[in-house]
Every structure is written in structure tokens, then in C-alpha cells.
Amino acid sequence: MAYNIVQINEVPFAMAVSLAKGSVDAIYKPVCEVLPDVSSRSIALDEYTAQLLELQSLIGLYQSLASADLQTIQAIGNSLIEKDQTLAREGFSDVVPN
């Protein structure tokens, strides 16, 4: 229950974080699930495969950084919600809950 002291609305916050997590989880899949099965060799094909592997690595790094950012955002939001509730309990009893 939020008391609007810190001004964070729990439900929209949780929904936004959940949607963002779904988006971050989906980043890697379209580009990186399968490398082409290469039975022949050529300079161009080798270069293509090397660039695709590099792209996969960069996308994986981006996904892990975005996931870490989301964890931080969620932790900060949870702290704000907790602080909001603590302030309401400890000295702002005249504040009306949402």
C-alpha cells in the first residue's frame, strides 16, 4: 500500500519492470539462436561467420547490461516503496493511503 509520501505507485512500477524484463529477455533470441550450418569454406563466408559471432557477443553483452540495469531499477523502486511504507508507519499517520 503506497502512502504517496515518496510518490511511487507500486502497480504501474511493477508492470513497467515486468514489461522491460520481457523485452530484455527477447533481445538475444531473434539474432543469436542459430548460426548457419556452413559446410563449405570461403573467405566471404568466414568473414560473415566471424562478424555474426561478434554481433552475438555484443548483443549478449547488451542484454546482460540491460538486465543488470533493470535489477538496479527494481531494487531502487522496492526501496522507495519500503521507505514510503516506513514513513507512513513512523510519523505520517495522518496521510491517507491510496
PDB file of all heavy atoms in Angstrom, residues 26-55:
ATOM      1  N   ALA A  26      13.965 -11.004 -24.616  1.00  0.00           N
ATOM      2  CA  ALA A  26      13.724 -11.303 -26.028  1.00  0.00           C
ATOM      3  C   ALA A  26      14.795 -10.730 -26.952  1.00  0.00           C
ATOM      4  O   ALA A  26      14.805 -11.040 -28.142  1.00  0.00           O
ATOM      5  CB  ALA A  26      12.358 -10.759 -26.439  1.00  0.00           C
ATOM      6  N   ILE A  27      15.690  -9.917 -26.441  1.00  0.00           N
ATOM      7  CA  ILE A  27      16.702  -9.265 -27.293  1.00  0.00           C
ATOM      8  C   ILE A  27      17.550 -10.283 -28.027  1.00  0.00           C
ATOM      9  O   ILE A  27      17.778 -10.185 -29.220  1.00  0.00           O
ATOM     10  CB  ILE A  27      17.625  -8.348 -26.459  1.00  0.00           C
ATOM     11  CG1 ILE A  27      16.870  -7.114 -25.984  1.00  0.00           C
ATOM     12  CG2 ILE A  27      18.858  -7.934 -27.254  1.00  0.00           C
ATOM     13  CD1 ILE A  27      17.640  -6.270 -24.988  1.00  0.00           C
ATOM     14  N   TYR A  28      18.036 -11.261 -27.342  1.00  0.00           N
ATOM     15  CA  TYR A  28      19.041 -12.167 -27.877  1.00  0.00           C
ATOM     16  C   TYR A  28      18.482 -13.174 -28.876  1.00  0.00           C
ATOM     17  O   TYR A  28      19.145 -13.562 -29.806  1.00  0.00           O
ATOM     18  CB  TYR A  28      19.691 -12.907 -26.707  1.00  0.00           C
ATOM     19  CG  TYR A  28      20.964 -13.627 -27.033  1.00  0.00           C
ATOM     20  CD1 TYR A  28      22.127 -12.921 -27.295  1.00  0.00           C
ATOM     21  CD2 TYR A  28      21.013 -15.007 -27.074  1.00  0.00           C
ATOM     22  CE1 TYR A  28      23.309 -13.578 -27.582  1.00  0.00           C
ATOM     23  CE2 TYR A  28      22.188 -15.668 -27.362  1.00  0.00           C
ATOM     24  CZ  TYR A  28      23.333 -14.952 -27.613  1.00  0.00           C
ATOM     25  OH  TYR A  28      24.501 -15.604 -27.902  1.00  0.00           O
ATOM     26  N   LYS A  29      17.249 -13.569 -28.695  1.00  0.00           N
ATOM     27  CA  LYS A  29      16.704 -14.695 -29.443  1.00  0.00           C
ATOM     28  C   LYS A  29      16.670 -14.533 -30.957  1.00  0.00           C
ATOM     29  O   LYS A  29      17.130 -15.425 -31.664  1.00  0.00           O
ATOM     30  CB  LYS A  29      15.324 -15.043 -28.900  1.00  0.00           C
ATOM     31  CG  LYS A  29      15.416 -15.619 -27.515  1.00  0.00           C
ATOM     32  CD  LYS A  29      14.074 -15.909 -26.934  1.00  0.00           C
ATOM     33  CE  LYS A  29      14.287 -16.416 -25.517  1.00  0.00           C
ATOM     34  NZ  LYS A  29      13.131 -16.375 -24.713  1.00  0.00           N
ATOM     35  N   PRO A  30      16.137 -13.449 -31.511  1.00  0.00           N
ATOM     36  CA  PRO A  30      15.995 -13.405 -32.971  1.00  0.00           C
ATOM     37  C   PRO A  30      17.317 -13.488 -33.737  1.00  0.00           C
ATOM     38  O   PRO A  30      17.381 -14.109 -34.783  1.00  0.00           O
ATOM     39  CB  PRO A  30      15.321 -12.062 -33.228  1.00  0.00           C
ATOM     40  CG  PRO A  30      14.682 -11.689 -31.959  1.00  0.00           C
ATOM     41  CD  PRO A  30      15.521 -12.311 -30.879  1.00  0.00           C
ATOM     42  N   VAL A  31      18.355 -12.885 -33.212  1.00  0.00           N
ATOM     43  CA  VAL A  31      19.599 -12.814 -33.966  1.00  0.00           C
ATOM     44  C   VAL A  31      20.536 -13.957 -33.614  1.00  0.00           C
ATOM     45  O   VAL A  31      21.307 -14.404 -34.446  1.00  0.00           O
ATOM     46  CB  VAL A  31      20.302 -11.465 -33.686  1.00  0.00           C
ATOM     47  CG1 VAL A  31      21.648 -11.385 -34.361  1.00  0.00           C
ATOM     48  CG2 VAL A  31      19.425 -10.322 -34.119  1.00  0.00           C
ATOM     49  N   CYS A  32      20.461 -14.460 -32.409  1.00  0.00           N
ATOM     50  CA  CYS A  32      21.541 -15.298 -31.910  1.00  0.00           C
ATOM     51  C   CYS A  32      21.199 -16.754 -31.660  1.00  0.00           C
ATOM     52  O   CYS A  32      22.019 -17.483 -31.131  1.00  0.00           O
ATOM     53  CB  CYS A  32      22.064 -14.683 -30.616  1.00  0.00           C
ATOM     54  SG  CYS A  32      22.684 -13.021 -30.850  1.00  0.00           S
ATOM     55  N   GLU A  33      20.033 -17.192 -32.000  1.00  0.00           N
ATOM     56  CA  GLU A  33      19.696 -18.568 -31.676  1.00  0.00           C
ATOM     57  C   GLU A  33      20.500 -19.578 -32.480  1.00  0.00           C
ATOM     58  O   GLU A  33      21.003 -20.539 -31.932  1.00  0.00           O
ATOM     59  CB  GLU A  33      18.202 -18.818 -31.870  1.00  0.00           C
ATOM     60  CG  GLU A  33      17.390 -18.302 -30.721  1.00  0.00           C
ATOM     61  CD  GLU A  33      15.922 -18.669 -30.851  1.00  0.00           C
ATOM     62  OE1 GLU A  33      15.478 -18.987 -31.960  1.00  0.00           O
ATOM     63  OE2 GLU A  33      15.243 -18.622 -29.831  1.00  0.00           O
ATOM     64  N   VAL A  34      20.626 -19.365 -33.768  1.00  0.00           N
ATOM     65  CA  VAL A  34      21.260 -20.384 -34.588  1.00  0.00           C
ATOM     66  C   VAL A  34      22.253 -19.746 -35.560  1.00  0.00           C
ATOM     67  O   VAL A  34      21.917 -18.807 -36.270  1.00  0.00           O
ATOM     68  CB  VAL A  34      20.194 -21.156 -35.404  1.00  0.00           C
ATOM     69  CG1 VAL A  34      20.835 -22.225 -36.262  1.00  0.00           C
ATOM     70  CG2 VAL A  34      19.161 -21.764 -34.470  1.00  0.00           C
ATOM     71  N   LEU A  35      23.445 -20.272 -35.561  1.00  0.00           N
ATOM     72  CA  LEU A  35      24.407 -19.899 -36.606  1.00  0.00           C
ATOM     73  C   LEU A  35      24.117 -20.743 -37.837  1.00  0.00           C
ATOM     74  O   LEU A  35      23.667 -21.885 -37.720  1.00  0.00           O
ATOM     75  CB  LEU A  35      25.831 -20.177 -36.134  1.00  0.00           C
ATOM     76  CG  LEU A  35      26.477 -19.131 -35.243  1.00  0.00           C
ATOM     77  CD1 LEU A  35      27.832 -19.626 -34.761  1.00  0.00           C
ATOM     78  CD2 LEU A  35      26.632 -17.818 -35.965  1.00  0.00           C
ATOM     79  N   PRO A  36      24.393 -20.197 -38.998  1.00  0.00           N
ATOM     80  CA  PRO A  36      24.168 -21.006 -40.197  1.00  0.00           C
ATOM     81  C   PRO A  36      25.093 -22.222 -40.209  1.00  0.00           C
ATOM     82  O   PRO A  36      26.235 -22.149 -39.754  1.00  0.00           O
ATOM     83  CB  PRO A  36      24.488 -20.049 -41.347  1.00  0.00           C
ATOM     84  CG  PRO A  36      25.286 -18.956 -40.744  1.00  0.00           C
ATOM     85  CD  PRO A  36      24.910 -18.882 -39.289  1.00  0.00           C
ATOM     86  N   ASP A  37      24.597 -23.333 -40.697  1.00  0.00           N
ATOM     87  CA  ASP A  37      25.401 -24.541 -40.824  1.00  0.00           C
ATOM     88  C   ASP A  37      26.234 -24.400 -42.096  1.00  0.00           C
ATOM     89  O   ASP A  37      25.700 -24.378 -43.206  1.00  0.00           O
ATOM     90  CB  ASP A  37      24.493 -25.767 -40.904  1.00  0.00           C
ATOM     91  CG  ASP A  37      25.291 -27.046 -40.917  1.00  0.00           C
ATOM     92  OD1 ASP A  37      26.469 -27.036 -40.488  1.00  0.00           O
ATOM     93  OD2 ASP A  37      24.738 -28.062 -41.354  1.00  0.00           O
ATOM     94  N   VAL A  38      27.518 -24.245 -41.899  1.00  0.00           N
ATOM     95  CA  VAL A  38      28.402 -23.961 -43.020  1.00  0.00           C
ATOM     96  C   VAL A  38      29.206 -25.217 -43.344  1.00  0.00           C
ATOM     97  O   VAL A  38      30.035 -25.652 -42.555  1.00  0.00           O
ATOM     98  CB  VAL A  38      29.356 -22.794 -42.695  1.00  0.00           C
ATOM     99  CG1 VAL A  38      30.257 -22.506 -43.870  1.00  0.00           C
ATOM    100  CG2 VAL A  38      28.569 -21.575 -42.288  1.00  0.00           C
ATOM    101  N   SER A  39      28.935 -25.805 -44.506  1.00  0.00           N
ATOM    102  CA  SER A  39      29.678 -26.999 -44.899  1.00  0.00           C
ATOM    103  C   SER A  39      30.795 -26.658 -45.883  1.00  0.00           C
ATOM    104  O   SER A  39      31.711 -27.439 -46.067  1.00  0.00           O
ATOM    105  CB  SER A  39      28.731 -28.033 -45.513  1.00  0.00           C
ATOM    106  OG  SER A  39      28.062 -27.462 -46.608  1.00  0.00           O
ATOM    107  N   SER A  40      30.717 -25.504 -46.510  1.00  0.00           N
ATOM    108  CA  SER A  40      31.777 -25.093 -47.428  1.00  0.00           C
ATOM    109  C   SER A  40      32.555 -23.948 -46.794  1.00  0.00           C
ATOM    110  O   SER A  40      32.120 -23.329 -45.834  1.00  0.00           O
ATOM    111  CB  SER A  40      31.191 -24.667 -48.772  1.00  0.00           C
ATOM    112  OG  SER A  40      30.346 -23.562 -48.588  1.00  0.00           O
ATOM    113  N   ARG A  41      33.701 -23.660 -47.342  1.00  0.00           N
ATOM    114  CA  ARG A  41      34.572 -22.621 -46.817  1.00  0.00           C
ATOM    115  C   ARG A  41      34.836 -21.581 -47.904  1.00  0.00           C
ATOM    116  O   ARG A  41      35.021 -21.911 -49.066  1.00  0.00           O
ATOM    117  CB  ARG A  41      35.920 -23.198 -46.373  1.00  0.00           C
ATOM    118  CG  ARG A  41      35.868 -24.370 -45.427  1.00  0.00           C
ATOM    119  CD  ARG A  41      35.371 -24.041 -44.058  1.00  0.00           C
ATOM    120  NE  ARG A  41      36.263 -23.090 -43.435  1.00  0.00           N
ATOM    121  CZ  ARG A  41      36.061 -22.564 -42.249  1.00  0.00           C
ATOM    122  NH1 ARG A  41      34.995 -22.917 -41.567  1.00  0.00           N
ATOM    123  NH2 ARG A  41      36.872 -21.694 -41.733  1.00  0.00           N
ATOM    124  N   SER A  42      34.815 -20.332 -47.491  1.00  0.00           N
ATOM    125  CA  SER A  42      35.211 -19.252 -48.383  1.00  0.00           C
ATOM    126  C   SER A  42      35.617 -18.078 -47.509  1.00  0.00           C
ATOM    127  O   SER A  42      35.215 -17.983 -46.341  1.00  0.00           O
ATOM    128  CB  SER A  42      34.080 -18.858 -49.332  1.00  0.00           C
ATOM    129  OG  SER A  42      33.096 -18.136 -48.632  1.00  0.00           O
ATOM    130  N   ILE A  43      36.379 -17.181 -48.053  1.00  0.00           N
ATOM    131  CA  ILE A  43      36.818 -16.005 -47.301  1.00  0.00           C
ATOM    132  C   ILE A  43      35.603 -15.175 -46.888  1.00  0.00           C
ATOM    133  O   ILE A  43      35.489 -14.757 -45.744  1.00  0.00           O
ATOM    134  CB  ILE A  43      37.815 -15.172 -48.131  1.00  0.00           C
ATOM    135  CG1 ILE A  43      39.103 -15.967 -48.350  1.00  0.00           C
ATOM    136  CG2 ILE A  43      38.116 -13.851 -47.448  1.00  0.00           C
ATOM    137  CD1 ILE A  43      40.068 -15.327 -49.328  1.00  0.00           C
ATOM    138  N   ALA A  44      34.683 -14.963 -47.808  1.00  0.00           N
ATOM    139  CA  ALA A  44      33.494 -14.160 -47.511  1.00  0.00           C
ATOM    140  C   ALA A  44      32.632 -14.830 -46.437  1.00  0.00           C
ATOM    141  O   ALA A  44      32.149 -14.175 -45.512  1.00  0.00           O
ATOM    142  CB  ALA A  44      32.677 -13.943 -48.776  1.00  0.00           C
ATOM    143  N   LEU A  45      32.446 -16.134 -46.548  1.00  0.00           N
ATOM    144  CA  LEU A  45      31.636 -16.856 -45.576  1.00  0.00           C
ATOM    145  C   LEU A  45      32.314 -16.876 -44.209  1.00  0.00           C
ATOM    146  O   LEU A  45      31.645 -16.723 -43.181  1.00  0.00           O
ATOM    147  CB  LEU A  45      31.376 -18.279 -46.073  1.00  0.00           C
ATOM    148  CG  LEU A  45      30.307 -19.075 -45.349  1.00  0.00           C
ATOM    149  CD1 LEU A  45      28.988 -18.302 -45.289  1.00  0.00           C
ATOM    150  CD2 LEU A  45      30.095 -20.415 -46.031  1.00  0.00           C
ATOM    151  N   ASP A  46      33.614 -17.032 -44.187  1.00  0.00           N
ATOM    152  CA  ASP A  46      34.347 -16.991 -42.917  1.00  0.00           C
ATOM    153  C   ASP A  46      34.216 -15.617 -42.263  1.00  0.00           C
ATOM    154  O   ASP A  46      34.026 -15.515 -41.045  1.00  0.00           O
ATOM    155  CB  ASP A  46      35.830 -17.317 -43.138  1.00  0.00           C
ATOM    156  CG  ASP A  46      36.057 -18.784 -43.479  1.00  0.00           C
ATOM    157  OD1 ASP A  46      35.129 -19.601 -43.288  1.00  0.00           O
ATOM    158  OD2 ASP A  46      37.174 -19.102 -43.940  1.00  0.00           O
ATOM    159  N   GLU A  47      34.300 -14.576 -43.068  1.00  0.00           N
ATOM    160  CA  GLU A  47      34.153 -13.210 -42.542  1.00  0.00           C
ATOM    161  C   GLU A  47      32.735 -12.982 -42.015  1.00  0.00           C
ATOM    162  O   GLU A  47      32.538 -12.395 -40.960  1.00  0.00           O
ATOM    163  CB  GLU A  47      34.492 -12.183 -43.620  1.00  0.00           C
ATOM    164  CG  GLU A  47      34.458 -10.755 -43.152  1.00  0.00           C
ATOM    165  CD  GLU A  47      35.494 -10.429 -42.080  1.00  0.00           C
ATOM    166  OE1 GLU A  47      36.542 -11.077 -42.012  1.00  0.00           O
ATOM    167  OE2 GLU A  47      35.226  -9.485 -41.287  1.00  0.00           O
ATOM    168  N   TYR A  48      31.760 -13.470 -42.763  1.00  0.00           N
ATOM    169  CA  TYR A  48      30.364 -13.357 -42.334  1.00  0.00           C
ATOM    170  C   TYR A  48      30.170 -14.057 -40.991  1.00  0.00           C
ATOM    171  O   TYR A  48      29.557 -13.508 -40.069  1.00  0.00           O
ATOM    172  CB  TYR A  48      29.437 -13.955 -43.392  1.00  0.00           C
ATOM    173  CG  TYR A  48      28.006 -14.096 -42.925  1.00  0.00           C
ATOM    174  CD1 TYR A  48      27.157 -13.001 -42.901  1.00  0.00           C
ATOM    175  CD2 TYR A  48      27.510 -15.332 -42.496  1.00  0.00           C
ATOM    176  CE1 TYR A  48      25.840 -13.117 -42.466  1.00  0.00           C
ATOM    177  CE2 TYR A  48      26.194 -15.458 -42.065  1.00  0.00           C
ATOM    178  CZ  TYR A  48      25.373 -14.350 -42.046  1.00  0.00           C
ATOM    179  OH  TYR A  48      24.080 -14.478 -41.614  1.00  0.00           O
ATOM    180  N   THR A  49      30.666 -15.268 -40.865  1.00  0.00           N
ATOM    181  CA  THR A  49      30.529 -16.026 -39.624  1.00  0.00           C
ATOM    182  C   THR A  49      31.230 -15.317 -38.474  1.00  0.00           C
ATOM    183  O   THR A  49      30.690 -15.234 -37.361  1.00  0.00           O
ATOM    184  CB  THR A  49      31.091 -17.449 -39.797  1.00  0.00           C
ATOM    185  OG1 THR A  49      30.411 -18.087 -40.884  1.00  0.00           O
ATOM    186  CG2 THR A  49      30.902 -18.281 -38.552  1.00  0.00           C
ATOM    187  N   ALA A  50      32.406 -14.766 -38.706  1.00  0.00           N
ATOM    188  CA  ALA A  50      33.140 -14.041 -37.666  1.00  0.00           C
ATOM    189  C   ALA A  50      32.360 -12.804 -37.213  1.00  0.00           C
ATOM    190  O   ALA A  50      32.265 -12.527 -36.009  1.00  0.00           O
ATOM    191  CB  ALA A  50      34.529 -13.646 -38.175  1.00  0.00           C
ATOM    192  N   GLN A  51      31.809 -12.076 -38.169  1.00  0.00           N
ATOM    193  CA  GLN A  51      31.027 -10.884 -37.813  1.00  0.00           C
ATOM    194  C   GLN A  51      29.741 -11.255 -37.081  1.00  0.00           C
ATOM    195  O   GLN A  51      29.331 -10.560 -36.152  1.00  0.00           O
ATOM    196  CB  GLN A  51      30.717 -10.061 -39.069  1.00  0.00           C
ATOM    197  CG  GLN A  51      31.926  -9.346 -39.604  1.00  0.00           C
ATOM    198  CD  GLN A  51      31.614  -8.511 -40.840  1.00  0.00           C
ATOM    199  OE1 GLN A  51      30.470  -8.407 -41.264  1.00  0.00           O
ATOM    200  NE2 GLN A  51      32.638  -7.903 -41.417  1.00  0.00           N
ATOM    201  N   LEU A  52      29.125 -12.353 -37.472  1.00  0.00           N
ATOM    202  CA  LEU A  52      27.919 -12.803 -36.788  1.00  0.00           C
ATOM    203  C   LEU A  52      28.239 -13.212 -35.348  1.00  0.00           C
ATOM    204  O   LEU A  52      27.494 -12.892 -34.423  1.00  0.00           O
ATOM    205  CB  LEU A  52      27.270 -13.954 -37.551  1.00  0.00           C
ATOM    206  CG  LEU A  52      25.897 -14.396 -37.064  1.00  0.00           C
ATOM    207  CD1 LEU A  52      24.909 -13.222 -37.071  1.00  0.00           C
ATOM    208  CD2 LEU A  52      25.369 -15.533 -37.924  1.00  0.00           C
ATOM    209  N   LEU A  53      29.352 -13.889 -35.143  1.00  0.00           N
ATOM    210  CA  LEU A  53      29.773 -14.258 -33.783  1.00  0.00           C
ATOM    211  C   LEU A  53      30.057 -13.016 -32.940  1.00  0.00           C
ATOM    212  O   LEU A  53      29.702 -12.957 -31.759  1.00  0.00           O
ATOM    213  CB  LEU A  53      30.995 -15.170 -33.833  1.00  0.00           C
ATOM    214  CG  LEU A  53      30.742 -16.590 -34.334  1.00  0.00           C
ATOM    215  CD1 LEU A  53      32.061 -17.318 -34.550  1.00  0.00           C
ATOM    216  CD2 LEU A  53      29.862 -17.351 -33.355  1.00  0.00           C
ATOM    217  N   GLU A  54      30.689 -12.014 -33.546  1.00  0.00           N
ATOM    218  CA  GLU A  54      30.948 -10.766 -32.836  1.00  0.00           C
ATOM    219  C   GLU A  54      29.641 -10.061 -32.480  1.00  0.00           C
ATOM    220  O   GLU A  54      29.480  -9.545 -31.374  1.00  0.00           O
ATOM    221  CB  GLU A  54      31.828  -9.847 -33.688  1.00  0.00           C
ATOM    222  CG  GLU A  54      32.238  -8.581 -32.971  1.00  0.00           C
ATOM    223  CD  GLU A  54      33.160  -7.704 -33.802  1.00  0.00           C
ATOM    224  OE1 GLU A  54      33.644  -8.149 -34.857  1.00  0.00           O
ATOM    225  OE2 GLU A  54      33.391  -6.556 -33.386  1.00  0.00           O
ATOM    226  N   LEU A  55      28.692 -10.055 -33.426  1.00  0.00           N
ATOM    227  CA  LEU A  55      27.385  -9.464 -33.161  1.00  0.00           C
ATOM    228  C   LEU A  55      26.691 -10.189 -32.016  1.00  0.00           C
ATOM    229  O   LEU A  55      26.122  -9.565 -31.118  1.00  0.00           O
ATOM    230  CB  LEU A  55      26.516  -9.505 -34.420  1.00  0.00           C
ATOM    231  CG  LEU A  55      25.077  -8.999 -34.267  1.00  0.00           C
ATOM    232  CD1 LEU A  55      25.066  -7.526 -33.861  1.00  0.00           C
ATOM    233  CD2 LEU A  55      24.307  -9.224 -35.557  1.00  0.00           C
TER     234      LEU A  55
END
